[in-house]
Amino acid sequence: MAEIVQQRIENRIPELEQLERVGLFSKKEVKSMLKRATALEYKLHRLIITKVDFIAYIQYEINVLELIKKRRSRIGYQFKREEIEYSIISRINSIFRRATTKWKDDVQLWLSHIAFCKKWNTKVQLSKVFSSMLAIHPEKPALWIMAAKSELEDRNLSESARQLFLRALRFHPESKKVYQEYFRMELLHAEKLRKQQKELEQAEMDYEFSPEIMSGKLAELVYRDATGKIQGADFILSLLTIAAIFDFTKELQDTIIQDLQSKYTDDSLTWDFMAKRELEATVGEELQTAKGRASDIARREERCCQVYEEGLKSLNTGTCTQQTERHTSTPVHTHNQQKYTQPTEMHTSTPVRTHNQQKCIPQHRYLQVLLSSGDSEQTAAVAMAATQRYRQSVDVWCLALQTMVHLGSGATGKLFQDALKHVNPKVHTHTRISCNSSFLLCSQRGLLSVVPAVSMEIKEKYLDWSYRAGGYKKARKTFTSLHESRPFSKAFFTRMIQMEKNQLRWSLRTVYGFFPPDLWLEYIREELGPSGQPENCGMIHWRAMKMLEGESVERFLAQYTLLQTGHI
């Protein structure tokens, strides 16, 4: 062991001599570096070695690189890089390889190596790391996508990216995400060629790329292959959304829309998309007058509802109405109110009409109309009637609560408590209730809810309300009373951190708890910022290592390495 360590230390001597010779480090500093490197190297040759030892060694070498970079900038010396930096970078890559060979299953360790390679622009080494990682973790589609993007963006090799996507599809032939990113990559490549072609034409250079590739034919082949293996309107719509980003894909978009309308007329998403197209359709010529614009809006809204009506008749189901409520966002103007108002019995507490009556009446739009008309009593009645009819619907309760808050009703608190009684807790777990913060003060019982999603949401909104209502001091009091109340929410802490920043008062030590590792990383990042104290970072790192346990320690160390390399 001692012979190996001695050999590796001797290999450092040329670069250390160069550092001293060119004036980047003093003789005393070089001796200190040699001593520190020897201690770190011995740790990697003990009988029992840990991942922490490798990460500490890597972090030390990265710190040396950063220090050399700063000193070069200060004294203006930019020579001898091959003898100094390249040697250190090569050694760091070697340590990373030793670590990933021992801990092959640690994806975060692989990603840290990738981040380092990108930071210091070692592109050839980057491809080798991706290749080794994918050989061990071919079951993870996200890693294939990351590797392909790196080939396209970092190395400008579209063919290599294409080959990686094709290899990924052999392992994951029905992965929606892989197909989506492959489709996007081909469109990006086509767009890049189009820009290059335009530049060549401007420079009057005689060179032409393949018209088929520039028009997106390769992307169309990917689309055909993807839709042949993966069925569903939602998947086709995701590809259509990607294609719509590019301005040269009109024919491709038309093809996708035709397939959607011909193959998936029994899917509510298809009808929802068709209705939204009518609502968002653009007119041929700009309408100059307010009356003309209002008339156009009325026409589009009427056509939108007609499509929803057709969808309901075709599907004979209530899902279309739910899609209408979820996606329709364009405000309804009062001039068109009569087209969307419901029968007079809806203006009382009578239950809302059922879906089987074949009426596609968007409740969000209808309540917007009533709110704009100023009829508070009628609006409240419709909102309450909806909750009576759809007691298990989270969306309906949220809509009613938001409406009552807008009206400033004193019954908001009771309505929220009723929501907690009637809605299935399992629904809450998977659906965040988007509630306006104004009713939270009237609903403090929600803070003690057994449903984690409800409790976390209310804590966040209640903190926002406290800040707006009583300023920093009130928000601080609210945070102090709730920050140890489970379940924990990262957003709750980050909002308080932002409030501290706004006050220019750096009492963040009481905000950053001992909960998730990424909050400790955020603390370090803030101290490294213009208003922080970088000398505190070492103590923060020590406290984090002391407080965190289990997998949190490894995740923190990996993220800390990425932070030091400038990738988070």
Side-chain angles (χ1 to χ4, degrees):
M1 178 182 73
E3 292 80 4
I4 297 175
V5 172
Q6 188 63 30
Q7 180 63 43
R8 288 181 175 166
I9 294 301
E10 289 178 359
N11 292 337
R12 286 174 170 266
I13 293 178
E15 75 187 52
L16 294 174
E17 290 177 344
Q18 289 288 356
L19 286 171
E20 183 180 352
R21 184 178 299 116
V22 301
L24 290 173
F25 285 82
S26 66
K27 186 175 182 179
K28 182 178 179 181
E29 288 175 326
V30 168
K31 287 184 177 180
S32 176
M33 292 171 61
L34 194 61
K35 183 178 179 180
R36 176 65 173 158
T38 303
L40 290 169
E41 193 68 53
Y42 269 110
K43 284 186 177 181
L44 300 191
H45 290 82
R46 295 182 299 188
L47 291 177
I48 301 177
I49 57 176
T50 65
K51 194 185 307 179
V52 174
D53 294 331
F54 279 90
I55 293 176
Y57 197 173
I58 292 169
Q59 187 59 59
Y60 171 74
E61 297 287 2
I62 291 175
N63 291 341
V64 171
L65 275 177
E66 294 288 353
L67 184 57
I68 293 173
K69 182 179 179 181
K70 291 180 180 179
R71 291 193 176 181
R72 280 187 179 278
S73 177
R74 188 181 66 187
I75 68 176
Y77 184 83
Q78 304 299 330
F79 304 101
K80 299 291 183 180
R81 291 184 178 275
E82 185 173 352
E83 293 87 346
I84 300 174
E85 281 92 339
Y86 293 174
S87 176
I88 299 174
I89 290 172
S90 176
R91 183 163 54 252
I92 294 174
N93 283 325
S94 176
I95 299 171
F96 264 122
R97 284 194 297 272
R98 291 162 63 187
T100 51
T101 300
K102 186 170 182 60
W103 292 281
K104 294 183 176 67
D105 294 334
D106 190 339
V107 176
Q108 194 63 48
L109 192 58
W110 288 100
L111 295 179
S112 296
H113 193 184
I114 290 169
F116 172 78
C117 293
K118 288 186 176 183
K119 170 71 174 180
W120 296 95
N121 201 28
T122 56
K123 295 181 179 179
V124 175
Q125 183 66 34
L126 179 62
S127 293
K128 292 180 179 179
V129 175
F130 270 121
S131 179
S132 300
M133 179 179 65
L134 292 174
I136 297 171
H137 298 283
E139 77 285 356
K140 294 180 172 60
L143 299 182
W144 288 99
I145 294 171
M146 185 185 300
K149 284 186 175 181
S150 176
E151 291 295 306
L152 183 66
E153 297 171 1
D154 299 327
R155 305 192 66 197
N156 197 24
L157 298 175
S158 58
E159 183 59 33
S160 295
R162 186 176 296 114
Q163 292 301 321
L164 281 169
F165 274 120
L166 291 174
R167 288 175 58 196
L169 289 173
R170 287 199 287 270
F171 286 97
H172 309 281
E174 296 183 357
S175 172
K176 292 183 179 180
K177 190 63 177 177
V178 172
Y179 269 117
Q180 289 165 353
E181 295 303 324
Y182 186 15
F183 183 69
R184 190 195 308 273
M185 186 277 292
E186 293 293 0
L187 291 175
L188 284 170
H189 178 54
E191 183 181 48
K192 180 180 178 181
L193 293 182
R194 292 171 69 89
K195 289 181 179 178
Q196 291 179 354
Q197 184 68 54
K198 186 176 180 180
E199 291 173 357
L200 291 172
E201 291 175 355
Q202 291 176 348
E204 298 182 354
M205 297 179 66
D206 188 14
Y207 187 86
E208 185 174 347
F209 296 104
S210 170
E212 289 78 13
I213 296 178
M214 290 194 296
S215 62
K217 292 298 182 182
L218 286 178
E220 184 175 350
L221 291 176
V222 175
Y223 164 75
R224 294 297 183 192
D225 185 44
T227 53
K229 295 179 180 178
I230 302 175
Q231 304 298 317
D234 58 337
F235 179 61
I236 288 187
L237 286 172
S238 69
L239 297 179
L240 178 60
T241 302
I242 295 172
I245 299 173
F246 303 88
D247 56 6
F248 59 90
T249 59
K250 186 179 184 307
E251 292 185 4
L252 179 58
Q253 292 182 56
D254 291 340
T255 299
I256 297 175
I257 292 172
Q258 290 175 7
D259 289 346
L260 182 69
Q261 294 176 340
S262 62
K263 297 179 181 179
Y264 298 101
T265 53
D266 58 344
D267 195 312
S268 61
L269 290 175
T270 301
W271 291 98
D272 179 53
F273 168 75
M274 293 164 59
K276 288 168 64 179
R277 281 189 73 204
E278 295 292 342
L279 192 64
E280 299 167 0
T282 57
V283 293
E285 58 183 15
E286 185 178 358
L287 299 173
Q288 299 294 333
T289 64
K291 183 177 180 180
R293 288 192 294 271
S295 176
D296 178 65
I297 291 173
R299 179 189 60 79
R300 287 188 280 124
E301 289 176 346
E302 182 176 5
R303 178 56 188 155
C304 172
C305 279
Q306 288 176 358
V307 173
Y308 275 124
E309 291 281 1
E310 293 173 11
L312 280 174
K313 293 176 182 177
S314 174
L315 298 173
N316 193 27
T317 178
T319 55
C320 182
T321 300
Q322 296 172 0
Q323 295 293 337
T324 307
E325 296 172 6
R326 184 178 299 113
H327 294 298
T328 307
S329 59
T330 304
V332 179
H333 295 268
T334 54
H335 73 273
N336 203 35
Q337 180 175 342
Q338 66 275 15
K339 295 181 181 294
Y340 297 92
T341 52
Q342 297 171 318
T344 54
E345 63 266 22
M346 277 299 299
H347 300 167
T348 65
S349 58
T350 307
V352 180
R353 286 178 177 266
T354 63
H355 295 313
N356 292 332
Q357 291 175 284
Q358 302 294 325
K359 297 296 182 182
C360 184
I361 304 173
Q363 295 178 19
H364 282 78
R365 286 176 164 275
Y366 181 54
L367 287 173
Q368 287 175 351
V369 172
L370 292 179
L371 287 171
S372 62
S373 69
D375 192 341
S376 302
E377 183 178 351
Q378 187 180 30
T379 306
V382 173
M384 296 301 292
T387 61
Q388 294 298 315
R389 178 62 180 86
Y390 303 105
R391 295 193 175 190
Q392 291 295 319
S393 171
V394 175
D395 289 337
V396 170
W397 282 104
C398 288
L399 177 62
L401 285 165
Q402 292 168 1
T403 304
M404 299 298 277
V405 168
H406 183 84
L407 296 174
S409 172
T412 306
K414 183 179 183 303
L415 184 64
F416 186 81
Q417 295 175 19
D418 291 342
L420 294 179
K421 294 178 182 178
H422 290 97
V423 178
N424 189 340
K426 293 183 179 180
V427 177
H428 279 304
T429 303
H430 300 288
T431 308
R432 289 170 61 89
I433 303 180
S434 300
C435 305
N436 189 291
S437 59
S438 300
F439 71 83
L440 292 175
L441 188 60
C442 304
S443 312
Q444 295 188 31
R445 284 182 56 190
L447 294 170
L448 304 177
S449 172
V450 296
V451 183
V454 176
S455 179
M456 289 189 295
E457 185 78 9
I458 291 180
K459 282 198 293 187
E460 296 164 16
K461 297 296 185 182
Y462 190 57
L463 182 63
D464 289 340
W465 178 89
S466 299
Y467 186 71
R468 289 196 297 268
Y472 169 78
K473 290 185 178 180
K474 186 174 181 64
R476 184 40 140 183
K477 184 177 180 181
T478 299
F479 174 81
T480 302
S481 65
L482 298 178
H483 81 283
E484 293 186 357
S485 175
R486 294 179 183 272
F488 300 127
S489 165
K490 179 184 175 182
F492 178 71
F493 288 91
T494 54
R495 291 184 189 186
M496 190 63 217
I497 292 167
Q498 189 59 47
M499 294 174 192
E500 294 282 0
K501 291 181 185 178
N502 294 340
Q503 292 294 316
L504 298 178
R505 294 177 55 175
W506 288 94
S507 54
L508 294 179
R509 293 169 183 78
T510 58
V511 179
Y512 288 99
F514 49 88
F515 313 118
D518 49 357
L519 275 182
W520 287 103
L521 265 297
E522 186 69 20
Y523 191 0
I524 293 173
R525 189 184 288 111
E526 294 296 345
E527 292 289 19
L528 292 173
S531 302
Q533 299 177 357
E535 60 271 18
N536 293 336
C537 292
M539 180 58 69
I540 298 170
H541 183 277
W542 178 83
R543 288 176 57 197
M545 294 296 295
K546 183 179 179 181
M547 301 298 295
L548 296 172
E549 297 177 353
E551 295 182 357
S552 296
V553 177
E554 297 181 5
R555 192 160 76 251
F556 171 75
L557 288 172
Q559 291 177 338
Y560 183 70
T561 301
L562 290 175
L563 176 63
Q564 291 295 311
T565 58
H567 282 78
I568 61 172

